[in-house]
Amino acid sequence: MKVVTSQQMREIDRKAIEENKISGLTLMENAGLRIFQSLKIIYTDLRLKKILIFSGSGNNGGDGFVVARHLYNWGVKVKVFLLSPSNKIKGEAGENLNTIDKMGVELIEAERVKLEEIQEAIQNSDLIIDAILGTGLQGKVTGLKAKIINLINATGKEVVAIDVPSGLDADTGKIVGPCIKATHTITLALPKIGLLLFPGASYAGKVMVEDIGIPACLLKNDKIKTNMVTQEIVKSLLPLRAAYSHKGSFGKVLLLAGSVGMTGAAYLASEAAMRSGAGIVVLGIPRSLNQIMEVKLTEVMTLPLAETKKQSLGEDAEETILKLMKDFSVSGIGPGISLEVETQRLVRKIIEKSNIPLVIDADAIYALSKDVSLLKKVKVPLVITPHPGEMAKLTNKDIDYILDNQLDITRKIAQEFGIIVVLKGARTIIANKEGEAYINVGDNSGMATGGSGDVLTGIICSLIAQGADSFSAAIAGVYIHSLAGDLARDFKGERGMIASDILSQVPKAFLSLEGKVISNE
């Protein structure tokens, strides 16, 4: 599903009206009706609620007027506060305001009453509908609008925002002043970027996307380069598994991982690759750690390699690794390999000379940060999977800058170096060299646990080995990883989850995608 900026949405609306001859009044009516229908689904006792609608002067306010009409006709006690004088509300919004006025819906111009009266009305209501600004935010909200937003938030009442919570930057998710803290956001036609990225996502509550009758060809425009990862997309990206197959049909993964004290990372990545469908997985491990890994791993084969005095991969392993690579489909490098100087040099050499697709994670990203120019020398498809701290090192930026510009920085690095970037987080972002970006929506704090990223590395490597291109594997891998985490949460809880719980649910995540019945056994 495409995800848009406010300007892109306005352009879609314009084309629907001017080129497809759908009137603005029709779109507003469709929006209001769908919001009303959604409210009936969200609140089964809707008819019993006392509802306040706060409406601005633009189309967002107009949508609120249509909602008010449907609620009133359905017998709901509804009252509308106008945040602009009624004589300044024009166009389609003005027409709908005139309609509800003639029907007898109670209308109050907020500027004409005391703030205490508005506060009392909010306190006495059961539900607030925010139709103040939508995507029409321009800078910080001030004046009466700001005061009313603060009053609404202070009461703790449930709030449904229309399109975008008022005060939220629809393009970035940034909050620069007073902003509605919504329980639900019913967004129209397509999700807006600011609803998916934090901190905006924490103000949007549960987001629902409603169809308002805009032609599908406008909503699937390839010129829109930001997308939301959905189950349907992931299903289409998974490599096929023919019944007439053998282990060689599903590729070979070579993982270079682990060091003393970090064998768990190697275990998690290699087991995840195996559990995600790769035919063969081989773990390259420092020689002295091979025995313990042979005990920890059964189906995964181990390969003892030359090591440093501190039991991490040594430079003498270079020739062996490069010779082996020609027999593998993909290599994952980084989980738990350590920051030892010699190991870091080895990593850079392998990345530069590799002749098979690579997935670079964890300590291997640190190795890249010491020589970012290496990214332009890579001759094979390359996926990097940094968390914000690793991205900060890689780009020499402050971590707060990364957190404030996640989408832009992910896209920029992918385009600048011609690679695939997976910026991990509650909203993991995947981008490629063409600037195409996908946002994965996940709200599971249990995923924030040591080793979680190692599981993701294994899943992505496995999908590449089975025939997926690196970008498709990254998108699908992120979604499956997130889904496995959600399945683990169901029986471990977010607080008690660990990475091996995520790993244990990877097969069930695939089953779920394939529409199979899953159990908690």
Side-chain angles (χ1 to χ4, degrees), residues 455-468:
V455 176
L456 175 61
T457 296
I459 296 171
I460 295 173
C461 285
S462 184
L463 292 172
I464 294 171
Q466 292 170 69

Side-chain angles (χ1 to χ4, degrees), residues 225-442:
K225 293 292 188 180
T226 307
N227 312 268
M228 183 171 71
V229 183
T230 63
Q231 179 176 306
E232 290 71 25
I233 288 172
V234 173
K235 282 182 177 180
S236 72
L237 298 178
L238 290 179
L240 297 176
R241 293 180 68 86
Y244 183 68
S245 306
H246 53 83
K247 64 186 178 183
S249 304
F250 303 122
K252 296 174 67 176
V253 176
L254 174 62
L255 282 163
L256 303 177
S259 60
V260 66
M262 297 291 287
T263 54
Y267 166 82
L268 290 166
S270 50
E271 277 287 299
M274 202 84 235
R275 289 292 188 181
S276 298
I280 296 172
V281 179
V282 175
L283 171 63
I285 193 82
R287 184 179 293 116
S288 63
L289 302 177
N290 187 67
Q291 187 173 353
I292 189 171
M293 294 311 297
E294 287 213 55
V295 174
K296 288 173 74 74
L297 297 166
T298 304
E299 291 82 6
V300 175
M301 292 181 280
T302 62
L303 174 68
L305 293 169
E307 63 182 19
T308 67
K309 292 179 180 179
K310 294 188 177 180
Q311 294 176 281
S312 62
L313 291 172
E315 285 185 283
D316 288 345
E318 178 188 351
E319 185 177 350
T320 301
I321 293 168
L322 291 175
K323 282 183 179 178
L324 275 172
M325 276 185 158
K326 67 178 187 298
D327 296 323
F328 285 81
S329 313
V330 61
S331 180
I333 308 175
I337 60 172
S338 86
L339 301 182
E340 283 297 308
V341 174
E342 183 180 336
T343 305
Q344 296 278 298
R345 285 199 300 264
L346 170 69
V347 166
R348 288 190 286 270
K349 289 177 182 178
I350 298 300
I351 291 172
E352 183 176 0
K353 297 176 183 179
S354 175
N355 60 358
I356 60 173
L358 297 173
V359 179
I360 305 300
D361 183 36
D363 296 335
I365 294 174
Y366 185 85
L368 281 174
S369 71
K370 297 299 181 181
D371 182 11
V372 180
S373 66
L374 183 61
L375 288 170
K376 292 189 175 180
K377 300 176 185 177
V378 177
K379 309 175 186 69
V380 295
L382 175 66
V383 180
I384 64 170
T385 62
H387 56 56
E390 290 163 343
M391 181 64 95
K393 286 188 175 71
L394 195 65
T395 59
N396 198 28
K397 300 282 188 182
D398 185 271
I399 191 167
D400 288 336
Y401 177 87
I402 302 298
L403 292 172
D404 285 344
N405 300 275
Q406 295 176 58
L407 179 58
D408 290 344
I409 199 73
T410 305
R411 184 176 268 137
K412 179 179 181 293
I413 296 301
Q415 290 181 297
E416 182 177 348
F417 295 105
I419 61 175
I420 294 146
V421 180
V422 177
L423 181 58
K424 296 180 290 194
R427 294 292 191 262
T428 294
I429 301 168
I430 312 103
N432 67 5
K433 63 183 180 180
E434 284 79 28
E436 198 77 27
Y438 282 77
I439 301 172
N440 186 72
V441 177

